[in-house]
Amino acid sequence: MSEIPLTSSVSKGCFVFKSASKKRKRHVGVGGYLVDDSDENGSDRFRICQKLWETVQTNTEVIQDQLNKKVLDSLAEFIKKHGLGCSSDNWRQRAREIPTAALMLGVNVPDHAMTFRSLCNLLQDSVTPFVVSVHAKECAAVKLLIQKVLEQLMGRGVSVDEEQEDDTALLQRTQCTISALCQWYKTVTKKSTQVFPQRTESLTNSDFPQSLPVVVIFKDFEAFNSQVLQDFILICSRYTQELPFIFIFGIATSPSAIQHRLPHSVSSLLCIEVFHSLSCTQHLASVFDKLILNSQFPFKLSSRVIQVLVGIFLYHDFSVQNFVKGLQFSMLEHFKSQPLSMLCCQKQEALLSAKTLSKKNVERIRHLPSFMRYVETQEPQEQVRLLTNDEHVKEVCQKLLKNLHKYHKNYYPILQCLHSLTSSLPKFPLGKHIRELHVSCIEKNLWETEEYDSALQLLRILAKDELVAALRKCAEILKSTKILQNVLQQLEDFIGRLEALEGVSSEDSSGNGIISGKMEYQKTDLFQLQKTLLEKESRRTKRMNPFEVLRSQVIEFIDSLVREYLTPAELQPLNEVCYYSSSGVLRQRLNVTPRTSIQAALSHPFYYLQNESLKTDAGTISSAAPDLCIVYKLHLECGRLINLYDWLEAFLTVMSAAEDQDTNSEECGKYDSLKHARFIQAVSEMEFLGFIKSTKQKTDHVARLTWGGC
Amino acid sequence: MKIHICLTGIKTIILDCNNISQYSVFLINSALMNRRDIMSAVNPDQYSYPSVFIYGHRATGKSHVVLSIMKDLELPHASVDCVECVSSGLLFHQVLSAFFGPDAAALLPRCPSLSDFVRLYKQMSSNSPATQTRYIILDRAERMRDMDFSLLPALLRLQELVNDNVTVILLSEIVWEKFRPNTGCFEPLLFHFPDYSKGKSLVQILSWDHHPSYTPELYASYINILLGVFFSVCRDLRELRHLAVLNFSKFCEPLEKGEAKESDIHKLWKNIEPHLQRAMQTVYLREVSSVQWEQQQMDEKEATTLRVLSAHAHIELPYYSKFLLIAAYLASFNPARTDRRFFLKSHGKIRKTNFLKKHEKTSNHLLGPKPFPLDRLMAIFYSVVDSRVAPTASVFSQISSLVTLQLLSQVGHDDQLDSPKYKCSVSLDFILAISRCVCVCVRLLDLLALSLVIQSQVVRQERSLFTAVSNLHLL
């Protein structure tokens, strides 16, 4: 770039020069984003936040890779098989079919990009260098589609070796055909066999002639113009002998979309195989497990925030990426708005920074609601110390932080145990997914809810083998976490006792039978019968066999675990440090309602402008408001068609009402051109905002595009 | 009379091949070798007919016959598939490079017009005058109608324009009447390739590629069985050959196991018939790819039924998208007048007698979806959803994502900003499946039932009608 900006132009015009110095001044250092005048450790918080975000990112990528591994591998296998094996076919018809993989990705279109990126990388690394991916937006016509394919392929060839660069530069647009691609492919494959003999050997079976397939990925199959697709497939099928094409259709809806889009004459040229990627709900569940139900990850979300984020996912977009974005946003918001979030990090680090808390932050801790609650439970003497002695607060703070970490460490394994116990119950009283259970646990005392009661009821009638299996699962979970050893011990003890019960229970049931056999039949009296039946019933409940006794013990044990470990997070002192809880802000930011805010601005200008003179009662129209607001409020009173002249009259009335009451009525009817112009401008702004539009139904009328009045 | 000799040469070849089979063309050609000598002996400056138009259904051997004549007689020709020619420039380019080499084609300007082509052609042909008639073969010529309107008339009389011995052969599946421009043009010579008849030609041609390890008679009987199943739905030679190859191994299975002899045609037929029926429902419709089909045959496990394409019709949609789709369906298939009745709790009394007007009684499903404005969609949406929904940006963006998924389609292009209109493009079954998994509230089911009950009767009739129509179509 030259220092002096160019001002020579074909047409006349004015040029704006922005001073470069201003830009430089505004540039802030990396740590400077969260720094306020009032607080000193903004950079620390920023660092922690960034570190956390990096772990989130790497974790999500790892999860994505793990989940997609199976389907991507099978795709690569499919391509290898078709790229190499088909040359042996002597059936001409079969060879003309283009192998096609229909990759089902689900409707969460924004998430597809990541999958395709990893697919491209995988294919280029392990199968073929010739991978092209096309987007429907770029390919409105066959010509553009072919051009895109050629550009990507030949461009890649250039990057492989330098000499070819002049050849491709000569390539003109008129030669933008598949036959040109054919020529290029021949030369490239010839070259590559010379240049990388060792590489090609590894890729091909020794008998078959070398043929690296050309993979074309249609990223969003549904959005493609069907005519374009048909033509492209027809053209490609002419060249399958020389150019081994393989297509991958990224399909968001269902495989039948192919049949809707392509006629039989075209789809008969394809040899379609369907591949399913994991559903997005499973994906979300694994992200949830890794990021939220994990004691290693210090940043936590409150129940409301989780509900907002999951709600957006389930109700609106099914996009895991958006969910992670929401998590990122809440993280940023938390670290920005909560100065104490500097303690929201790994245990050692947190303890260290708790030791060196500044005076201001100690004061902030004292004001935390959870800390205040904690103080209230202490002895009076201790209370005084906590409120006056800073050093003591720091010590207590360290203790509380340790407790908080311990709480988290115990919380998640027990949560998983409870989930594994209840997830197999009929009708899922505590939710199908672990996230539902988690939300209800951190929100309130779980054991006070009806759902928990009904779940325990159901657990109490479990059969022995079911119970043992469920307990085994719990033991597995606890074993893998390596904490809560005493709980594990007890569990295993229970399992052992349940299994040892084998012989005893059968004996007992026979004893029961004898008792009932002894009952003699008496005169049938309805009342008597009822009584005896009730007696029988009560006897049965009274006389529990050893299994039932043991079972109720087990349930008691589980219940005590829940009461001990699954207490709501809000009751933990210092939970504000880790928990982000302002769901309102999150909803406002992530689930925006542009229309509502426009309407709010127009009907209550005070809300945004914060000008005292704009404060009005509901229902009245103040003349001090901006013209647009007046016009908007007036139009709410009209029907579907608005007479412009009446509207203008009303507008003028409002305008003049404030100006002067004393002017005589003659002048009231008249209006000057300035007001007229203001009215016209306001009306055209209304049209721009989409509230009205011009209509041909009636002269001098405009049509309303919204419903409702004031 | 060179023209006549040349023409009748082609004509007889074409007609002969037609009558016998395309594969016998090789035999005919070898018989024609003598005639070729005669032709080359004739004075080359006699011109042939400027343009020939050949039409017939798919896979009746049009291009195969023409191209093999060209190849065997070693005639100078340029074969172009019109699908490939996204611009007329590409067509010119291919023709010139086929006749005069790529150097000549490179002389074409960037966006060549027809006159550029003619000028260049003239120039080149004066340098290397034709010793024989040059042929330009345009496959799938119906695509030419979408190109420049002057292209087709000009190509039909290219001979006059370039003053060279050149013939343009157009191959198409459509009759010539559909090509003729309004302004009129030179009438080409018309040839029709009729469909292969079942008895004679199809069996003969299909028997041509019999398996070397079995007798031709066995293969012919196999072909007869195959045609018995497939002839009613498919006459495409290419498809039939494909199917024949795919299923032959299954046919031979009893022979290999020694359970039957080649003469037990009935036994073999009993073995293969259900298999072919299944093939008609799957492989033929490309519900199952041919590779999968073969694999299944090799595995020999009939129990592992392949999941066909249309089996996964279910689509997972976000909660509100489902409701939006249901609302769109209701808006598309219910008349707007009835909205009040269906979606308001306190609708007024409705006179039963003429609640629906006469023309509305004919099923809305037969008439297809009707466009509806966005407002109506949202109004129905709000009344259908059981909870309060804020009009957030994501609800509106879901509508546009439904459009890109082609579950809705946008209609009209004039007023996209203020009042866009949509149509619902999914079927009744799809909507029913969605509402079944969404419906926690009984009210919605009622609504659907109410609005659909009027149409359900007609839907049933309509289904039978559809099947009848599709059967007719196949015949």
Side-chain angles (χ1 to χ4, degrees):
Chain A
M1 285 284 153
S2 60
E3 281 296 298
I4 308 149
L6 288 173
T7 52
S8 59
S9 159
V10 182
S11 60
K12 278 186 190 175
C14 55
F15 298 87
V16 178
F17 300 110
K18 280 184 179 167
S19 61
S21 59
K22 205 174 172 185
K23 222 177 188 175
R24 224 169 281 146
K25 218 186 280 172
R26 286 190 60 187
H27 180 74
V28 195
V30 181
Y33 287 110
L34 298 181
V35 175
D36 272 336
D37 304 331
S38 58
D39 118 74
E40 62 283 7
N41 42 29
S43 55
D44 285 342
R45 278 186 279 139
F46 182 72
R47 188 178 44 77
I48 295 168
C49 179
Q50 219 172 16
K51 218 167 110 191
L52 281 182
W53 171 236
E54 272 160 23
T55 56
V56 169
Q57 246 179 338
T58 48
N59 275 332
T60 44
E61 271 164 28
V62 167
I63 290 168
Q64 171 106 19
D65 286 348
Q66 279 172 354
L67 292 182
N68 281 334
K69 194 172 183 311
K70 205 172 146 200
V71 66
L72 291 187
D73 282 350
S74 59
L75 254 178
E77 199 52 44
F78 168 80
I79 288 166
K80 267 183 205 160
K81 188 176 80 190
H82 281 283
L84 306 172
C86 268
S87 46
S88 64
D89 269 350
N90 48 2
W91 305 328
R92 271 182 291 167
Q93 172 62 32
R94 253 289 296 284
R96 273 195 73 173
E97 280 189 343
I98 303 174
T100 305
L103 183 57
M104 299 293 120
L105 290 165
V107 292
N108 47 338
V109 181
D111 286 5
H112 296 180
M114 226 150 115
T115 316
F116 280 120
R117 214 180 307 133
S118 44
L119 175 63
C120 274
N121 290 338
L122 177 75
L123 292 182
Q124 274 169 3
D125 290 345
S126 64
V127 187
T128 167
F130 309 120
V131 182
V132 186
S133 55
V134 286
H135 239 281
K137 229 186 268 168
E138 313 155 334
C139 311
V142 194
K143 200 174 173 178
L144 296 172
L145 178 54
I146 293 176
Q147 193 189 345
K148 205 84 211 163
V149 171
L150 259 66
E151 258 174 26
Q152 288 191 34
L153 277 178
M154 298 183 166
R156 186 152 297 134
V158 171
S159 65
V160 167
D161 49 354
E162 309 297 292
E163 305 126 42
Q164 244 200 328
E165 199 158 10
D166 8 350
D167 295 13
T168 43
L170 280 178
L171 181 92
Q172 280 176 3
R173 199 162 170 160
T174 45
Q175 285 165 302
C176 202
T177 56
I178 299 291
S179 58
L181 184 69
C182 253
Q183 295 296 326
W184 172 85
Y185 180 76
K186 268 178 205 157
T187 56
V188 165
T189 44
K190 226 180 257 169
K191 245 181 210 171
S192 70
T193 42
Q194 290 159 4
V195 177
F196 316 106
Q198 76 286 359
R199 186 179 159 197
T200 46
E201 254 168 44
S202 67
L203 288 174
T204 50
N205 301 354
S206 48
D207 324 46
F208 297 124
Q210 143 83 7
S211 62
L212 290 170
V214 175
V215 182
V216 184
I217 302 173
F218 297 85
K219 279 184 177 170
D220 39 357
F221 181 79
E222 276 89 357
F224 272 93
N225 183 348
S226 66
Q227 194 58 47
V228 170
L229 267 179
Q230 287 170 28
D231 285 359
F232 187 73
I233 292 170
L234 280 175
I235 294 170
C236 288
S237 74
R238 278 173 57 91
Y239 291 96
T240 42
Q241 304 290 342
E242 299 115 82
L243 210 58
F245 275 112
I246 291 179
F247 292 157
I248 296 176
F249 293 156
I251 298 175
T253 50
S254 70
S256 50
I258 299 176
Q259 288 162 334
H260 291 163
R261 221 48 46 80
L262 304 174
H264 183 250
S265 60
V266 176
S267 65
S268 66
L269 298 172
L270 302 176
C271 175
I272 303 165
E273 234 169 278
V274 180
F275 295 86
H276 284 272
S277 73
L278 270 186
S279 77
C280 48
T281 41
Q282 273 167 298
H283 191 176
L284 179 77
S286 49
V287 168
F288 213 85
D289 274 349
K290 195 89 186 178
L291 294 180
I292 291 170
L293 303 179
N294 187 350
S295 56
Q296 297 300 315
F297 190 66
F299 176 71
K300 309 283 176 203
L301 299 174
S302 79
S303 57
R304 284 292 181 75
V305 172
I306 292 178
Q307 275 167 343
V308 169
L309 287 179
V310 171
I312 290 175
F313 177 86
L314 288 179
Y315 286 139
H316 292 299
D317 55 9
F318 269 0
S319 164
V320 177
Q321 235 170 7
N322 278 357
F323 179 82
V324 175
K325 285 267 159 64
L327 184 65
Q328 185 189 13
F329 179 81
S330 43
M331 228 157 78
L332 281 173
E333 191 65 29
H334 178 66
F335 281 96
K336 180 173 162 277
S337 60
Q338 176 62 269
L340 289 174
S341 58
M342 55 181 287
L343 298 175
C344 174
C345 47
Q346 299 303 328
K347 193 172 162 189
Q348 297 308 322
E349 223 178 312
L351 290 181
L352 208 68
S353 41
K355 262 182 212 162
T356 56
L357 276 176
S358 69
K359 199 169 166 51
K360 218 181 253 172
N361 280 337
V362 170
E363 204 51 43
R364 279 191 186 117
I365 285 181
R366 284 197 185 116
H367 282 103
L368 288 181
S370 66
F371 190 77
M372 276 149 75
R373 235 176 287 138
Y374 170 75
V375 170
E376 277 162 25
T377 59
Q378 301 300 313
E379 302 286 311
Q381 207 181 343
E382 175 76 6
Q383 280 185 3
V384 173
R385 278 187 75 197
L386 280 174
L387 292 177
T388 52
N389 188 345
D390 278 7
E391 285 308 311
H392 185 65
V393 170
K394 281 181 198 172
E395 272 165 32
V396 170
C397 183
Q398 288 177 45
K399 196 186 87 192
L400 291 178
L401 278 176
K402 266 183 202 163
N403 282 346
L404 191 64
H405 279 273
K406 198 174 164 203
Y407 161 74
H408 283 142
K409 242 182 205 167
N410 295 335
Y411 176 86
Y412 294 110
I414 297 293
L415 184 75
Q416 279 170 347
C417 287
L418 183 61
H419 177 66
S420 76
L421 278 175
T422 56
S423 60
S424 56
L425 294 179
K427 282 192 186 168
F428 311 105
L430 289 177
K432 212 175 186 177
H433 303 280
I434 193 165
R435 58 166 183 262
E436 296 163 32
L437 187 61
H438 175 63
V439 164
S440 47
C441 276
I442 58 174
E443 198 176 23
K444 51 192 178 265
N445 286 336
L446 183 71
W447 54 90
E448 285 165 7
T449 59
E450 270 177 43
E451 292 84 16
Y452 180 73
D453 283 342
S454 62
L456 279 195
Q457 288 289 344
L458 287 170
L459 279 179
R460 279 201 185 98
I461 52 168
L462 271 187
K464 202 182 90 179
D465 44 347
E466 280 175 313
L467 190 64
V468 170
L471 290 180
R472 281 250 165 77
K473 250 191 244 166
C474 292
E476 287 290 308
I477 292 165
L478 290 177
K479 249 181 218 164
S480 61
T481 53
K482 294 193 183 91
I483 40 172
L484 293 168
Q485 288 304 323
N486 57 333
V487 177
L488 178 62
Q489 201 78 51
Q490 269 171 293
L491 255 183
E492 275 172 349
D493 182 42
F494 273 123
I495 294 171
R497 278 164 65 189
L498 276 171
E499 275 174 344
L501 219 57
E502 202 72 43
V504 185
S505 60
S506 57
E507 245 174 54
D508 200 83
S509 64
S510 62
N512 253 351
I514 295 164
I515 293 168
S516 57
K518 274 180 186 169
M519 300 287 281
E520 275 176 32
Y521 292 100
Q522 294 165 346
K523 237 195 285 176
T524 45
D525 176 11
L526 257 184
F527 179 71
Q528 204 68 29
L529 184 68
Q530 199 176 11
K531 218 166 115 185
T532 48
L533 279 177
L534 274 176
E535 241 170 55
K536 249 187 189 174
E537 197 67 23
S538 59
R539 191 176 296 140
R540 201 173 291 159
T541 46
K542 264 179 210 159
R543 290 199 40 158
M544 290 196 294
N545 59 25
F547 165 64
E548 282 164 344
V549 174
L550 197 54
R551 184 168 60 186
S552 64
Q553 276 175 4
V554 171
I555 306 300
E556 292 284 298
F557 173 64
I558 291 167
D559 189 38
S560 69
L561 282 183
V562 169
R563 279 166 201 264
E564 189 180 349
Y565 294 107
L566 297 187
T567 49
E570 279 167 37
L571 298 182
Q572 298 297 317
L574 290 189
N575 72 69
E576 288 90 342
V577 168
C578 297
Y579 281 82
Y580 176 71
S581 56
S582 40
S583 59
V585 175
L586 199 67
R587 188 178 287 133
Q588 232 175 42
R589 298 284 187 279
L590 295 185
N591 208 0
V592 289
T593 53
R595 195 160 152 181
T596 326
S597 41
I598 287 179
Q599 276 170 347
L602 289 177
S603 45
H604 306 287
F606 174 74
Y607 184 76
Y608 286 104
L609 295 177
Q610 296 291 322
N611 186 342
E612 283 301 317
S613 65
L614 295 178
K615 261 188 177 170
T616 52
D617 307 327
T620 61
I621 305 174
S622 145
S623 60
D627 295 345
L628 185 58
C629 298
I630 300 173
V631 167
Y632 171 77
K633 280 194 178 174
L634 288 172
H635 111 287
L636 287 179
E637 292 163 7
C638 302
R640 209 183 70 78
L641 287 176
I642 306 171
N643 187 335
L644 272 175
Y645 185 78
D646 293 347
W647 202 3
L648 173 64
E649 286 286 298
F651 178 73
L652 290 176
T653 321
V654 172
M655 296 292 287
S656 56
E659 268 174 19
D660 35 13
Q661 275 80 17
D662 50 10
T663 46
N664 46 23
S665 53
E666 287 168 34
E667 272 178 38
C668 249
K670 289 180 186 167
Y671 53 91
D672 50 26
S673 50
L674 179 70
K675 281 178 186 164
H676 195 172
R678 281 168 66 182
F679 174 73
I680 294 295
Q681 190 183 8
V683 167
S684 51
E685 273 168 5
M686 287 282 285
E687 190 170 354
F688 175 71
L689 288 174
F691 285 101
I692 54 168
K693 69 169 187 177
S694 57
T695 174
K696 282 169 190 162
Q697 289 178 12
K698 245 177 174 179
T699 50
D700 292 342
H701 279 69
V702 287
R704 263 186 80 175
L705 293 171
T706 52
W707 296 318
C710 44
Chain B
M1 298 307 288
K2 161 77 199 311
I3 305 173
H4 288 289
I5 295 170
C6 219
L7 265 179
T8 44
I10 292 177
K11 209 169 180 176
T12 44
I13 293 167
I14 290 169
L15 291 178
D16 287 351
C17 317
N18 230 350
N19 284 342
I20 306 159
S21 83
Q22 52 173 315
Y23 289 89
S24 40
V25 84
F26 300 111
L27 304 175
I28 300 165
N29 282 343
S30 55
L32 272 175
M33 288 308 250
N34 302 329
R35 196 184 291 185
R36 201 185 109 215
D37 295 340
I38 301 167
M39 284 200 290
S40 55
V42 183
N43 196 353
D45 55 27
Q46 282 188 334
Y47 283 17
S48 59
Y49 202 75
S51 50
V52 181
F53 182 83
I54 301 174
Y55 67 100
H57 274 154
R58 238 154 66 82
T60 44
K62 301 180 294 290
S63 19
H64 184 84
V65 167
V66 171
L67 287 177
S68 45
I69 290 171
M70 292 297 154
K71 229 177 253 166
D72 291 344
L73 299 186
E74 288 167 13
L75 298 171
H77 68 279
S79 161
V80 181
D81 193 333
C82 289
V83 183
E84 261 182 277
C85 300
V86 287
S87 66
S88 48
L90 281 176
L91 197 152
F92 303 148
H93 191 276
Q94 288 192 21
V95 170
L96 284 177
S97 63
F99 286 152
F100 309 109
D103 297 337
L107 290 175
L108 274 174
R110 204 173 147 69
C111 287
S113 66
L114 187 67
S115 55
D116 285 328
F117 170 66
V118 169
R119 181 177 49 78
L120 211 60
Y121 191 101
K122 257 186 187 165
Q123 196 184 326
M124 287 295 155
S125 64
S126 63
N127 291 346
S128 53
T131 49
Q132 284 176 311
T133 313
R134 291 186 173 118
Y135 294 93
I136 299 175
I137 301 155
L138 299 171
D139 211 340
R140 278 190 254 258
E142 60 268 16
R143 299 296 178 115
M144 296 249 287
R145 297 179 300 171
D146 304 330
M147 291 191 212
D148 194 3
F149 69 95
S150 63
L151 187 65
L152 183 64
L155 281 178
L156 286 174
R157 50 203 321 164
L158 189 67
Q159 198 174 70
E160 274 174 53
L161 286 171
V162 297
N163 207 9
D164 185 35
N165 190 0
V166 61
T167 293
V168 176
I169 302 178
L170 302 168
L171 305 175
S172 174
E173 292 174 22
I174 305 177
V175 292
W176 170 245
E177 279 69 31
K178 303 272 179 190
F179 278 77
R180 203 176 279 137
N182 290 334
T183 48
C185 66
F186 183 83
E187 288 290 315
L189 207 59
L190 302 185
F191 287 113
H192 178 50
F193 272 51
D195 284 352
Y196 297 114
S197 61
K198 179 188 178 185
K200 237 164 88 189
S201 20
L202 268 181
V203 175
Q204 269 183 12
I205 296 166
L206 286 169
S207 312
W208 198 268
D209 40 20
H210 66 86
H211 206 275
S213 49
Y214 296 97
T215 57
E217 287 77 34
L218 179 78
Y219 199 81
S221 60
Y222 167 63
I223 292 300
N224 266 322
I225 293 170
L226 185 88
L227 283 180
V229 175
F230 280 101
F231 189 71
S232 55
V233 293
C234 171
R235 282 156 197 221
D236 189 334
L237 177 66
R238 222 176 279 160
E239 272 301 294
L240 285 172
R241 283 184 72 203
H242 178 54
L243 289 167
V245 169
L246 275 182
N247 295 310
F248 187 61
S249 60
K250 180 79 183 172
F251 179 73
C252 297
E253 208 177 77
L255 295 176
E256 277 168 11
K257 283 184 185 164
E259 290 168 0
K261 272 179 265 166
E262 289 200 7
S263 52
D264 290 349
I265 296 298
H266 185 71
K267 202 168 184 183
L268 290 173
W269 177 77
K270 257 193 150 173
N271 175 44
I272 193 73
E273 216 268 349
H275 188 72
L276 289 180
Q277 287 289 356
R278 214 167 51 244
M280 185 156 76
Q281 282 154 17
T282 54
V283 173
Y284 171 62
L285 295 173
R286 293 304 189 277
E287 297 262 6
V288 167
S289 77
S290 43
V291 176
Q292 284 174 323
W293 183 253
E294 275 173 1
Q295 239 155 27
Q296 192 200 21
Q297 283 183 3
M298 277 177 211
D299 292 349
E300 285 305 327
K301 280 170 196 150
E302 301 297 317
T304 57
T305 44
L306 283 166
R307 297 192 68 190
V308 294
L309 277 187
S310 54
H312 334 256
H314 181 65
I315 303 176
E316 279 282 326
L317 284 173
Y319 191 69
Y320 286 147
S321 294
K322 284 177 187 168
F323 277 107
L324 279 172
L325 209 55
I326 291 171
Y329 187 83
L330 291 173
S332 236
F333 286 100
N334 280 337
R337 287 184 328 108
T338 58
D339 282 355
R340 206 180 149 74
R341 169 139 173 48
F342 289 143
F343 303 112
L344 275 186
K345 271 177 190 148
S346 57
H347 55 78
K349 246 191 178 177
I350 287 165
R351 279 157 291 150
K352 271 269 166 68
T353 45
N354 47 3
F355 168 57
L356 286 178
K357 284 180 183 156
K358 192 163 188 193
H359 66 90
E360 280 167 354
K361 276 182 187 156
T362 61
S363 164
N364 282 315
H365 285 267
L366 278 182
L367 299 173
K370 287 190 199 62
F372 53 86
L374 178 65
D375 293 343
R376 196 172 155 226
L377 171 68
M378 293 316 288
I380 295 179
F381 171 69
Y382 287 130
S383 76
V384 163
V385 173
D386 43 352
S387 56
R388 271 182 66 92
V389 189
T392 58
S394 33
V395 169
F396 288 102
S397 74
Q398 277 178 61
I399 297 177
S400 55
S401 68
L402 284 177
V403 171
T404 47
L405 295 180
Q406 308 236 333
L407 300 173
L408 296 183
S409 54
Q410 205 160 8
V411 208
H413 295 283
D414 44 346
D415 207 358
Q416 293 295 347
L417 275 180
D418 285 340
S419 51
K421 284 190 169 177
Y422 301 92
K423 256 184 193 180
C424 182
S425 44
V426 294
S427 65
L428 174 64
D429 296 331
F430 187 88
I431 286 294
L432 283 180
I434 278 187
S435 47
R436 215 169 292 134
C437 64
V438 142
C439 274
V440 270
C441 62
V442 191
R443 188 166 153 262
L444 182 62
L445 263 184
D446 284 351
L447 271 177
L448 270 176
L450 242 175
S451 54
L452 293 175
V453 101
I454 310 158
Q455 297 153 359
S456 60
Q457 272 185 329
V458 198
V459 171
R460 219 166 294 133
Q461 291 168 8
E462 170 198 340
R463 279 219 188 110
S464 56
L465 197 74
F466 273 143
T467 44
V469 166
S470 55
N471 286 340
L472 268 180
H473 186 71
L474 289 173
L475 292 172

